Amino acid sequence: MGMPEPGIDPASATTAAEFVELLRRVRLSSELSYRQIAQRARAHGVALPISTLATALNRDTMPRPEVVTAMLLACGCSRDELARWLGARRQIVLGAPSTTDEPSAGPTDPDEKEPDETASAGTTAVPETAEPRNRRRWLRARVPLWSMLAVVVALGAGVAWWATDRAPETVAPVPASPAAVRVRPMSGPGCLSEHAGSSGYLFIEPCEQAYPALSTEPAGGEAFRFRTDHPEFGPGCMGVDPVSDSDRPSDGYCTDVKHQLFTAIPAGGGHLLRNVELGQCLAVRPEAGQRAVVFAACSADDPAQVFAVDRL
């Protein structure tokens, strides 16, 4: 079954409102009710609550990609046609042409450069400045041994005080009951967040600017979900992008599926956050001057994979 109205061209949309209007035309021309679309979406293995579809089609803001996917498949869209719709959506969201169905990391503001993550992943070595030979001889000749020992002891005590005074705070376990939280990398400043105008992918932003609001929800055994409360799209869950081949973490509608389940593995004073379906962990990686959050093979030796989950 093809598209009900072949004349609907997603590439003709240049704004989110125009894109949603085309989706409305697809729905009307299919002569399917919201309930029928939800039932057909389930037959394709995609959850699409009626309320979610109704909300998406009654706004002029861009719906999430999984909503677009579920609705178009239910209305008879082929996979090739679906790729065109998702490409058109991405072009509008990111403001740049997209020739493939691979996700983009989002627009980069050249004025907002983050430090390279690898620079903060370990201890920065400070090169020792070589002293002239004659000065070292002067020290050996003029400074008594007991004085040098006293200096060494004082320095050792100062270092011990400095380390104690600045020791990282104890990281609490992931809440075992529903709780509002923030997620921050132990390897550097900032918190887990979306980008304004991006397609749901996650980055590390200043904590005071981070959104959407996060909370944990136990899901049986050691598993839990990260529930989200997006200021524009409403309630959702964090998981694997269901319409991308790149397995990037993203914020989307809750579908009660395995790719939205996580477990926490204690490591490095924090936790590795492991996705149950992928068996991979969240990691911070430098990407085009930003600090993107991706999935990577879990490793307690990778500081960029260690996160704190703070109860708010």
Side-chain angles (χ1 to χ4, degrees):
M1 178 178 177
M3 289 296 296
E5 187 179 334
I8 301 177
D9 182 9
S12 65
T14 58
T15 65
E18 292 176 358
F19 188 87
V20 174
E21 177 58 31
L22 293 183
L23 290 177
R24 294 189 193 109
R25 286 175 55 190
V26 170
R27 208 279 299 178
L28 291 172
S29 64
S30 71
E31 298 183 352
L32 296 173
S33 67
Y34 286 165
R35 185 174 301 278
Q36 288 173 317
I37 291 176
Q39 291 172 343
R40 292 191 177 203
R42 282 196 296 272
H44 284 279
V46 185
L48 180 59
I50 296 173
S51 59
T52 298
L53 177 61
T55 299
L57 293 183
N58 283 283
R59 288 180 174 179
D60 288 334
T61 54
M62 185 63 77
R64 294 185 184 278
E66 59 265 35
V67 173
V68 176
T69 298
M71 181 196 138
L72 292 177
L73 289 177
C75 289
C77 180
S78 69
R79 291 288 176 174
D80 288 341
E81 291 167 328
L82 174 60
R84 291 183 60 244
W85 279 85
L86 293 177
R89 178 195 178 279
R90 187 173 296 112
Q91 180 174 341
I92 294 171
V93 170
L94 301 182
S98 175
T99 56
T100 68
D101 195 34
E102 292 296 320
S104 173
T108 301
D109 186 344
D111 295 327
E112 296 182 2
K113 295 295 184 180
E114 294 281 357
D116 189 284
E117 184 64 23
T118 57
S120 61
T123 302
T124 304
V126 179
E128 179 185 358
T129 303
E131 295 182 338
R133 288 176 178 269
N134 57 354
R135 179 165 178 78
R136 291 181 178 176
R137 290 197 201 98
W138 184 89
L139 283 173
R140 286 198 297 268
R142 302 278 181 166
V143 181
L145 179 59
W146 62 268
S147 299
M148 296 181 67
L149 289 174
V151 170
V152 169
V153 171
L155 286 174
V159 168
W161 169 85
W162 183 91
T164 302
D165 188 57
R166 289 160 176 78
E169 59 184 339
T170 301
V171 178
V174 174
S177 58
V181 298
R182 68 177 181 181
V183 178
R184 56 184 176 86
M186 301 291 287
S187 58
C191 291
L192 197 68
S193 175
E194 287 190 31
H195 268 344
S198 73
S199 53
Y201 296 127
L202 302 174
F203 298 84
I204 301 300
E205 296 285 333
C207 290
E208 62 273 15
Q209 301 174 14
Y211 78 97
L214 289 175
S215 61
T216 55
E217 177 188 73
E222 297 180 350
F224 61 92
R225 293 183 184 86
F226 282 112
R227 289 271 182 181
T228 63
D229 187 6
H230 197 283
E232 183 177 354
F233 298 111
C237 287
M238 181 170 59
V240 183
D241 186 344
V243 296
S244 170
D245 295 329
S246 67
D247 290 337
R248 275 192 74 161
S250 67
D251 177 24
Y253 290 110
C254 295
T255 54
D256 195 25
V257 291
K258 198 174 180 181
H259 72 70
Q260 291 179 342
L261 298 181
F262 287 82
T263 58
I265 305 170
H271 297 92
L272 304 181
L273 299 176
R274 177 181 176 273
N275 182 269
V276 171
E277 182 175 77
L278 288 180
Q280 296 185 343
C281 294
L282 298 184
V284 181
R285 295 287 184 260
E287 181 180 276
Q290 304 171 92
R291 296 165 70 198
V293 178
V294 301
F295 283 116
C298 297
S299 172
D301 296 326
D302 182 2
Q305 293 189 30
V306 182
F307 292 83
V309 181
D310 302 324
R311 184 190 289 264
L312 298 180

